[in-house]
């Protein structure tokens, strides 16, 4: 390649044309094709090396995350054991009992004995002290469980690990009898029975094309009735910015019903059921996107079925997941 960016210098082309006017142009084309193939091979080798480097770095990060997770769990166990084994505070001591009046010494012989005086009634200060001590004891009983609960039951963090995302196969699909824009799917989730799912794909998708397709579903949403039919999960879809094009998020090739979708940077077990008052899905959904390569991700971390690959949008890029 010369300084102008051409594969061969013009003088070389002119010399070839002069030596062989008939085949010179074909020879030049052969040389150009060979040079382009050599350049593509070099780029491919560079890409493979970068991919291997990224795989090594990802494995190291995963190992570090597992170590940190183990340390965190060990600290939590120690904190729990310490809180359970801590001795209860001793009960506050009561004030001294009022002294019993002591009798007067005996009068001398022949003298008239003085009448014994009655013991003084308990003072109001003693009553106030006992009442204050009682209030303090009651206050300590209330405060102790509160501190323990704060140390042992911290508010769970809101990240994508709380979502139970799994692969499912659509067995059948039909329009909702009471809503033209909704459809009803029966989905095999690898469980004893298929789940019924209501989605808003009726007006924008050819429903007959969905039968037998693998999809990604959110499985720990609370079952809810939609126009008289109970929906037991949520289909994840990719939607263009205008909303005119909607596609089902596709799991990687080789996935099977029941496979879980996980995130390398966000390990952990999902909630048994998402609580509506915590609004976990609403908080996470803005960060669920499809990038410029068509890969589904949460804050840059891909939707992954372990050992099988990443989830993708069939054709859309740079769009939201809902």
């Amino acid at each position: 390649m010369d300084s102008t960016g051409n594969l061969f210098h013009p003088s070389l082309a002119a010399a070839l044309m002069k030596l062989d006017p008939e085949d010179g142009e074909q020879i030049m084309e052969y040389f150009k094709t060979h040079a382009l193939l050599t350049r593509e091979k070099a780029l491919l080798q560079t890409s493979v090396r970068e991919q291997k480097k990224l795989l090594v770095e990802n494995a190291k990060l995963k190992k570090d995350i597992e170590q940190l997770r183990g340390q965190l769990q060990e600290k939590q166990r120690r904190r729990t054991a310490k809180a359970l084994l801590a001795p209860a505070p001793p009960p506050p001591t009561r004030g001294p009992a009022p002294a019993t009046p002591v009798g007067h010494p005996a009068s001398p012989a022949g003298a008239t004995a003085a009448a014994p005086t009655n013991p003084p009634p308990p003072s109001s200060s003693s009553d106030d002290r006992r009442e204050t001590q009682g209030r303090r004891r009651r206050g300590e009983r209330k405060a102790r469980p509160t501190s323990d609960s704060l140390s042992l039951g911290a508010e769970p963090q809101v990240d994508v690990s709380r979502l139970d995302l799994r692969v499912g196969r659509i067995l059948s699909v039909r329009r909702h009898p009471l809503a033209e824009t909704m459809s009803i799917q029966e989905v095999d989730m690898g469980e004893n029975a298929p789940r019924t799912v209501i989605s808003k794909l009726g007006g924008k998708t050819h429903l007959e094309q969905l039968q037998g397709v693998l999809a990604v579903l959110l499985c720990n949403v609370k079952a809810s009735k939609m126009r008289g039919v109970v929906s037991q999960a949520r289909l994840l879809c990719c939607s263009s910015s205008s909303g005119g094009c909607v596609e089902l998020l596709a799991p990687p090739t080789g996935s099977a019903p029941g496979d879980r979708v996980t995130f390398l940077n966000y390990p952990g077990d999902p909630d048994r059921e998402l609580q509506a008052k915590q609004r976990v899905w609403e908080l996470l959904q803005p960060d669920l996107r499809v990038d410029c390569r068509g890969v589904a991700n949460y804050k840059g971390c891909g939707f992954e079925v372990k050992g099988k690959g990443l989830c993708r949008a069939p054709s859309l890029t740079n769009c939201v997941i809902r």
Side-chain angles (χ1 to χ4, degrees), residues 108-301:
T112 304
T117 58
N118 293 328
S123 63
S124 60
S125 61
S126 298
D127 293 337
D128 294 339
R129 184 165 56 253
R130 284 196 295 272
E131 185 178 354
T132 302
Q133 291 172 353
R135 285 201 302 267
R136 186 179 298 116
R137 288 197 299 274
R138 289 193 296 271
E140 289 172 352
R141 294 191 192 101
K142 292 179 180 178
R144 184 174 178 80
T146 302
S147 60
D148 289 344
S149 63
L150 289 175
S151 62
L152 301 178
E155 184 71 19
Q157 186 175 357
V158 178
D159 62 45
V160 76
S161 67
R162 297 181 62 180
L163 303 181
D164 184 6
L165 299 176
R166 282 184 268 162
V167 177
R169 185 183 300 277
I170 299 176
L171 302 177
S172 65
V173 56
R174 65 185 187 277
R175 292 193 181 277
H176 196 296
L178 301 179
E180 293 184 358
T181 59
M182 294 183 181
S183 60
I184 304 174
Q185 292 84 30
E186 297 295 328
V187 185
D188 176 14
M189 302 298 304
E191 300 169 330
N192 295 331
R195 294 197 186 195
T196 301
V197 181
I198 310 299
S199 64
K200 296 183 178 180
L201 296 176
K204 300 180 180 180
T205 308
H206 296 291
L207 299 182
E208 63 275 5
Q209 298 177 2
L210 300 180
Q211 188 166 345
V213 171
L214 288 175
V216 178
L217 293 94
L218 176 61
C219 297
N220 58 344
V221 292
K222 186 176 182 180
S224 59
K225 185 175 290 188
M226 302 177 68
R227 296 292 184 91
V229 181
V230 176
S231 180
Q232 299 171 308
R234 180 188 184 100
L235 276 171
L236 295 195
C237 302
C238 315
S239 177
S240 60
S241 57
S242 63
C245 183
V246 178
E247 297 177 343
L248 290 179
L249 187 62
T253 303
S255 299
D259 286 348
R260 189 174 167 215
V261 178
T262 58
F263 301 82
L264 178 62
N265 296 342
Y266 301 92
D269 296 325
D271 292 7
R272 184 178 182 87
E273 183 178 279
L274 297 177
Q275 300 299 318
K277 63 180 181 180
Q278 295 181 0
R279 300 178 61 82
V280 175
W281 170 254
E282 288 77 5
L283 293 173
L284 296 176
Q285 194 269 331
D287 292 316
L288 304 177
R289 297 190 58 83
V290 174
D291 62 17
C292 60
R293 300 175 301 161
V295 177
N297 66 83
Y298 168 76
K299 294 185 177 179
C301 185

Side-chain angles (χ1 to χ4, degrees), residues 57-108:
E57 292 177 353
N58 285 341
K60 183 178 179 181
L61 287 173
K62 185 175 181 180
K63 184 178 179 180
D64 292 342
I65 289 171
E66 290 297 331
Q67 291 178 350
L68 290 174
R69 183 183 178 188
Q71 294 174 4
L72 181 61
Q73 291 175 345
E74 180 63 25
K75 288 182 179 180
Q76 185 68 18
R77 284 195 294 269
R78 290 179 181 176
R79 191 182 298 116
T80 303
K82 184 177 180 181
L84 293 175
L85 298 177
T93 57
R94 295 179 178 271
T100 304
V102 181
H104 293 277
S107 303

